Amino acid sequence: MTSSVFRNGAGARPSLALVSVFSILAADTLAQVPAATDITLAPVVVTASRFANDPAFSPIGASVISAEQIRDAGVADVNQAIRKIGGVFGRQNPNGTADYSLDLRGFGATSDQNMVILLDGVRLSEKEMTTALLSSIPIESVERIEIVRGGSSVLYGEGATGGTIQIITKQPQRNRLRGSVVAEAGSYGYRELRFSLAKGWDNFAVDANLSKQRADNYRANNANDQGNFSGGIQWGDAQGRVGLRVDVARQDNRFPGALTQAAFEANPRQTVTPNDFGSYDVNRYTLFSGRRFGALELAAELSHIEKTAKANFVSFGSESTAKTKGTQFSPRLRHLTAVGDWKNELVAGLDFANWSQATVSTLNGHEQVSQKSQAIYLQNQIQYQDNARLVLGARHENFDKDSFNPNTNSYRQSFGLNAWDVQGSYAPLPLLRLFAKAGQSYRVANVDDNREYGPRINPPLKPQTSHDFELGANFGDAERKLTVKAFEHRLTNEIMNDPTPPAWGANVNLDPTRRRGVELEASLRLHPQFTALANFQHVSATFTDGPNAGREVVLVPRNTASVRLNWNSGRGQNADVGMQWASEQRYGSDFDNSCRAKIPSFVTLDARYSMRIQKWELALAGSNLTGRDYFSQAYGFGCTGGIYPEPGRQLKLTARYDF
């Protein structure tokens, strides 16, 4: 299945190089294979190193959201957990669904394309201008979420300039059955039923998650109907595992459309497109395996996705159907050594991807596009005692892109890109750790970036590159911790839509731009029953050269912050309250900063109270409790147009039974 991703032997040299590495390390370690003793299912934990993490090599500067924090906050989906607990700014999806566009480090309208989202090591981020469907991941299945801010292209390839978000799921426990049934009902016709089950035997395990959600939602013509299934089987022992996962999502949406400022002020719940609708169907199949041979560990995932997206915009006479297929194959190895006070981790791998899409639309007719890529990467980490670490990494990736459309532009491209990074950390004091990062990351224009809707036909866009820098420090311990970071991303050929040309505007490579800012993350145990979390980000996103030098990039709030306070009685009662704040930002069409108006700043408040009685949990939760009318997404034509309002006050009742 992997040979199809090679182009006339392209990538053969990287593959042979990695096979050589495998051979050298295997010769050193196969003789050290110990006899299996305590047979148990190996945990499926993939972290920022793309392997089950040795605590000595935890990601430098990463943020972690635990399953306990997720349950205490009462969030209903992964996207909400990342925003409310992880402090990541989110922007309303134009479809009005729960899948907000997440923004690491101020990339505005292209934030989804400047970060990589993964589920147990498998890339979910799309090769088109769409948001990863995090609502299809059962929240009960999540063990933790790791957020790594900043350039991560060495391990994860294109689009990782802003960082990565890794969702890691729970695994069945040996000889144990566990499960839950969750029923929820709330404002605006919201109702959802979720069921999860996991069973483990000595060496075999199965799990299944099923959910069904319906909601009328806040705005007219914004009803959503979604069903999800996720299930897997695996066999494993103390040395490794092999298994198969199937993920299915079916989503039907009504599209409320964008409002003008006047329409928003008159009635934010109205629709101007009462007949627009669409659907989104996804099937994903993933075969995974891993095995340890002494100090050597091998792992791989083979994932295939089939997706059909339909949209009928009656409001302007456009109808489209896009059928997408994609295959990923990611073999890799890790070699761990320890000599005295020194530890070393070497990770080497190959990434192959083969993606294609066939689209039929009234605007662009019949279109066929494809993208193939082959990559090799190496990363080595050295640790001395618990005080110092040094990380060196490099990646080379080849791309082949083809597009055919007789009505617009067709193109064929072949090119290669490089990424590298250097990271280090040092602990001069027991409660103080300093760290620094520098590197190069990249992003490749996707099918929507290279697609032109107006009379202007452009050649395919150049790849975007970024030079990334970060300095930071961790203070404290598990009871009280503060992380401070200063960062900068210097971008060349940033890919974005310029709305200023006539008609539809144009997707372009921008003049040089820069993201520069500061991040703060704090956690504090105030009392045995009270804990607090806080996040703050200040970012300046500006042009540094060309006719727009000094102007701000659109849809980037300079400041965002979140604060959460949790109370756990220890006797089955729990309360959680949170606040999110975003400062003003420029409208998405205000490319030249000529609009006097800006998207207003906003503050929202959410809270939850729950009571656990044996295997039952009852909870009441509320979001936007002050009932504020506000919006975070405004991308359209005209100074103050393209507004997609956020929901008003929402209340939700939850009943959960665990077994």
Side-chain angles (χ1 to χ4, degrees), residues 107-114 129 158-159 401 413 415 417 442-452 460-465 491-498 506-513 515 543 553 591 635:
F107 281 88
T110 60
S111 60
D112 289 312
Q113 288 69 51
N114 279 285
M129 196 71 71
E158 75 96 7
K401 297 171 69 68
Q413 283 184 300
F415 55 89
L417 294 171
Y442 55 84
R443 179 196 162 204
V444 174
N446 59 46
V447 58
D448 292 318
D449 294 320
N450 280 327
R451 179 182 289 141
E452 298 298 338
L461 299 178
K462 298 176 183 178
Q464 166 189 308
T465 57
L491 292 102
T492 302
N493 292 321
E494 181 174 357
I495 301 167
M496 187 177 288
N497 182 265
D498 179 357
N507 298 321
V508 299
N509 289 118
L510 301 181
D511 292 315
T513 54
R515 306 299 191 279
F543 289 86
V553 178
F591 197 80
Y635 200 96

Side-chain angles (χ1 to χ4, degrees), residues 545-657:
D545 203 350
N548 290 314
R551 291 172 177 166
E552 295 179 317
V553 178
V554 300
L555 287 177
V556 180
R558 294 182 70 89
N559 301 296
T560 59
S562 65
V563 179
R564 301 205 71 80
L565 179 65
N566 180 265
W567 169 69
N568 192 327
S569 69
R571 299 173 182 174
Q573 296 186 76
N574 182 278
D576 191 89
V577 61
M579 181 194 73
Q580 297 83 41
W581 167 66
S583 65
E584 64 182 16
Q585 52 189 304
R586 292 197 175 274
Y587 280 84
S589 59
D590 190 16
F591 197 80
D592 59 1
N593 293 186
S594 62
C595 184
R596 294 185 178 181
K598 290 185 178 181
I599 298 175
S601 64
F602 58 85
V603 177
T604 61
L605 182 69
D606 66 272
R608 179 180 187 261
Y609 170 79
S610 66
M611 177 183 297
R612 300 180 189 179
I613 305 172
Q614 296 181 346
K615 296 183 178 182
W616 285 93
E617 180 183 66
L618 302 176
L620 173 64
S623 58
N624 192 8
L625 290 174
T626 60
R628 180 185 178 97
D629 291 333
Y630 73 104
F631 55 96
S632 59
Q633 175 70 279
Y635 200 96
F637 302 101
C639 177
T640 58
I643 295 172
Y644 291 87
E646 294 275 354
R649 182 185 295 110
Q650 295 176 286
L651 299 177
K652 181 179 69 175
L653 289 169
T654 303
R656 171 174 175 148
Y657 179 76

Side-chain angles (χ1 to χ4, degrees), residues 36-42 172-176 199-206 233-243 291:
T37 53
D38 182 23
I39 305 298
T40 184
L41 285 171
Q173 298 179 3
R174 184 181 180 186
N175 295 320
R176 183 175 175 183
K199 170 63 177 175
W201 290 270
D202 285 343
N203 300 98
F204 184 71
V206 298
I233 58 174
Q234 65 170 297
W235 179 93
D237 59 19
Q239 302 306 317
R241 63 185 176 92
V242 61
R291 194 72 180 170

Side-chain angles (χ1 to χ4, degrees), residues 196-237:
S196 65
L197 179 70
K199 170 63 177 175
W201 290 270
D202 285 343
N203 300 98
F204 184 71
V206 298
D207 67 276
N209 298 271
L210 185 66
S211 68
K212 181 67 174 178
Q213 180 194 109
R214 292 182 178 178
D216 297 328
N217 287 319
Y218 177 66
R219 296 184 62 195
N221 192 46
N222 197 197
N224 171 260
D225 189 332
Q226 182 169 338
N228 304 309
F229 169 79
S230 175
I233 58 174
Q234 65 170 297
W235 179 93
D237 59 19

